[in-house]
Amino acid sequence: MSTGRALWRRVPPWAVDGCLVVLAVLDAWINLYGEGTPLVWACVALGSTALFLRRRFPLAVFLFTLPMTLFMDVAVAPITALYTLAASTRNRPMLAGCALLNAGVDTLVWPLSDAFDGDRTWTLVQFVYTLATAVAPVLFGQLVQARHDVARQLVEVEEAREHERALHAQTVLASERAQLAREMHDVVSHQVSLIAVQAGAMQVAAKDLDAREAARTIRTLSANTLDELRHMVTLLRASGGRETALAPQPTLADLQQLVANSGIETTLTGELPAGISTTAQRTVYRTVQEALTNVRKHAPGARAEVRLWHDAHHFGVTVTNTAPTRPSVALPSAHHGLIGLKERAELLDGILTAESTPQGGYKVELRAPARSD
């Protein structure tokens, strides 16, 4: 069936219209039995050849077929014209009027003076019959038009689904980019900044010229790496989303090791409620990690305190450091770390605050509702 439909679609429209014109002329010739006045044959020629224009001017073509319908009992030309008109317009009152007009003209006989001389009942029956014949192509044309509308709507629905799938893929990609940006900053920046700080301290303490130059090179490369990382994170955030579904990695069990390797005199106190989600544990870990990174970068020589806490309604972590005891090493920073921490806090329906302390230090606090677990 699909093969036949495909073959039918390959037939050019002009060939179809040409065949219809031939059939219309043949239909008229059979009804006239080869006889007819020049006026009648002129109407046949007008009504039949007008079918070439049925796709562009369907209403005019239908009107051109009416004269030949008046002179003879033809079917091909008026039915074709009615079908084409019904398939191309949505004006149903006009279609009903055209069907009535076709039935009325087909019921009349020429000359018109003889139209009402016969049996009126038979005339009414003939009118109903011709009206039913005229309604059939109209209904079929409307059915074909409805089928085309449904097919077009299905195409639009499929296009909308494709667009929705593309948007979903873009959303997932943006979410993964945001996650990647956050992980790059949290993990790589933490390690590279520690290398830069240690290299700076080595450069100051080293007495050998070669060792001092090597430390300076390491610190310079670390600073350049942080700067490049900052640009990469900015690019990733430009198209990143605010949520992520990637599985968390660090947990509270890794906090002690993080504090021990921070290179800062740090105390870890308190505890969090048992059974908090891995997402919450990861958020606490990253908050501590970023806070200690900032202490190394901006407050050399300072001591830090990491305090885990919880009450009946909230849990969180507070990281406080004292004032620096020596000048800090200038390292690139675009504050992506605090931005990432605030985003993580929002995922827990919590808040993150970062502010200076009256003693010249700094305090970072994460507070999240217990129900987010």
Side-chain angles (χ1 to χ4, degrees):
M1 181 177 179
S2 59
T3 304
R5 186 178 301 172
L7 292 174
W8 173 253
R9 290 177 179 175
R10 294 180 181 178
V11 179
W14 62 266
V16 176
D17 294 340
C19 291
L20 290 174
V21 170
V22 172
L23 289 176
V25 173
L26 182 61
D27 184 27
W29 183 79
I30 292 174
N31 279 276
L32 291 174
Y33 300 103
E35 301 178 357
T37 64
L39 176 62
V40 173
W41 282 110
C43 292
V44 171
L46 176 64
S48 299
T49 56
L51 295 178
F52 277 117
L53 303 175
R54 66 188 183 94
R55 303 175 193 273
R56 297 186 60 184
F57 309 105
L59 179 59
V61 170
F62 166 73
L63 295 177
F64 287 151
T65 62
L66 291 179
M68 62 186 299
T69 307
L70 179 64
F71 288 113
M72 66 201 76
D73 188 18
V74 292
V76 175
I79 287 178
T80 302
L82 275 174
Y83 163 76
T84 305
L85 181 61
S88 60
T89 183
R90 302 180 187 276
N91 191 339
R92 293 184 177 178
M94 183 186 71
L95 291 175
C98 290
L100 288 171
L101 181 60
N102 181 79
V105 173
D106 196 21
T107 304
L108 296 176
V109 295
W110 187 263
L112 296 179
S113 58
D114 299 335
F116 302 100
D117 291 343
D119 187 359
R120 300 289 180 88
T121 303
W122 174 249
T123 301
L124 180 61
V125 170
Q126 186 179 6
F127 174 78
V128 173
Y129 173 77
T130 53
L131 179 61
T133 305
V135 167
V138 171
L139 294 179
F140 187 67
Q142 288 286 281
L143 179 63
V144 171
Q145 185 184 93
R147 180 180 177 277
H148 290 165
D149 291 342
V150 171
R152 185 169 54 252
Q153 291 175 359
L154 289 177
V155 172
E156 293 175 353
V157 169
E158 185 61 27
E159 290 177 351
R161 288 180 177 175
E162 288 293 335
H163 182 65
E164 183 179 354
R165 283 193 286 266
L167 289 179
H168 177 70
Q170 292 176 3
T171 301
V172 172
L173 179 60
S175 177
E176 292 178 351
R177 284 177 175 173
Q179 174 70 11
L180 179 59
R182 199 152 47 226
E183 291 303 313
M184 286 178 62
H185 184 277
D186 290 345
V187 178
V188 181
S189 176
H190 175 79
Q191 303 295 336
V192 175
S193 63
L194 178 59
I195 294 173
V197 172
Q198 295 293 345
M202 185 184 299
Q203 181 182 0
V204 174
K207 300 189 183 298
D208 183 70
L209 184 61
D210 292 337
R212 185 178 301 176
E213 181 64 21
R216 186 191 67 80
T217 301
I218 294 174
R219 187 174 71 84
T220 301
L221 293 176
S222 300
N224 292 338
T225 301
L226 284 174
D227 190 49
E228 292 295 330
L229 177 63
R230 177 173 60 85
H231 287 294
M232 292 176 62
V233 170
T234 301
L235 291 176
L236 289 172
R237 284 186 178 276
S239 59
R242 298 184 61 82
E243 295 186 0
T244 179
L246 298 180
Q249 296 174 355
T251 62
L252 292 180
D254 304 306
L255 262 183
Q256 189 65 49
Q257 188 67 27
L258 174 67
V259 170
N261 296 335
S262 64
I264 305 171
E265 185 181 345
T266 306
T267 57
L268 176 62
T269 60
E271 61 181 10
L272 293 177
I276 67 171
S277 67
T278 52
T279 302
Q281 294 183 45
R282 188 184 196 190
T283 301
V284 171
Y285 180 94
R286 294 306 187 195
T287 301
V288 175
Q289 183 185 53
E290 178 63 24
L292 294 180
T293 299
N294 289 336
V295 172
R296 286 198 308 270
K297 291 168 60 176
H298 306 298
R303 298 186 307 276
E305 178 187 2
V306 178
R307 183 173 66 88
L308 305 175
W309 57 269
H310 67 92
D311 54 32
H313 304 289
H314 296 85
F315 72 92
V317 60
T318 303
V319 183
T320 309
N321 65 273
T322 61
T325 59
R326 59 179 184 270
S328 61
V329 178
L331 294 174
S333 177
H335 304 289
H336 288 303
L338 291 179
I339 294 175
L341 293 183
K342 289 181 179 179
E343 291 177 353
R344 292 180 185 275
E346 290 175 1
L347 293 178
L348 297 177
D349 294 326
I351 58 174
L352 181 92
T353 58
E355 58 186 2
S356 301
T357 63
Q359 295 77 22
Y362 207 77
K363 181 176 74 171
V364 176
E365 182 177 70
L366 168 68
R367 173 184 293 266
R371 64 176 180 275
S372 64
D373 297 341

